[in-house]
Amino acid sequence: MKTPYNKYLYLSFMALGLFQFFYLKNYLEAAASFGIGMAFDPFDTEQKWNDRPSWQKGVLIVTLLITFTSLILGFLKY
């Protein structure tokens, strides 16, 4: 279900994750913020994955990689 707020929620969680990652150096909380942000797909959620443009797939895959990287760095830190 797409709401008009999905883009804003996605961007807000991405900004929070970047703040936690770079400023606070709390990688596990950053990974959580990035992961929660991915729940708010900023693109058309009614569109199937195969029908999406490549750049939308790229944005979501890069976000997923950043989430996993933050999670791994968080585990290595502790």
Side-chain angles (χ1 to χ4, degrees):
M1 182 173 92
K2 184 168 175 66
T3 65
Y5 303 109
N6 277 11
K7 287 181 186 174
Y8 302 116
L9 289 169
Y10 176 80
L11 291 173
S12 298
F13 276 107
M14 293 302 114
L16 177 62
L18 290 172
F19 173 75
Q20 291 168 335
F21 188 90
F22 289 112
Y23 184 72
L24 298 178
K25 304 285 191 228
N26 194 335
Y27 304 121
L28 289 176
E29 285 190 23
S33 295
F34 291 136
I36 292 170
M38 288 192 66
F40 301 105
D41 187 356
F43 309 114
D44 185 13
T45 56
E46 300 297 322
Q47 192 175 27
K48 293 183 180 181
W49 178 258
N50 291 334
D51 297 336
R52 290 183 183 220
S54 296
W55 69 272
Q56 287 182 2
K57 291 178 187 177
V59 167
L60 294 173
I61 290 171
V62 167
T63 305
L64 184 64
L65 291 174
I66 290 170
T67 303
F68 284 140
T69 303
S70 300
L71 191 62
I72 290 169
L73 287 174
F75 284 135
L76 291 177
K77 183 178 177 183
Y78 295 108

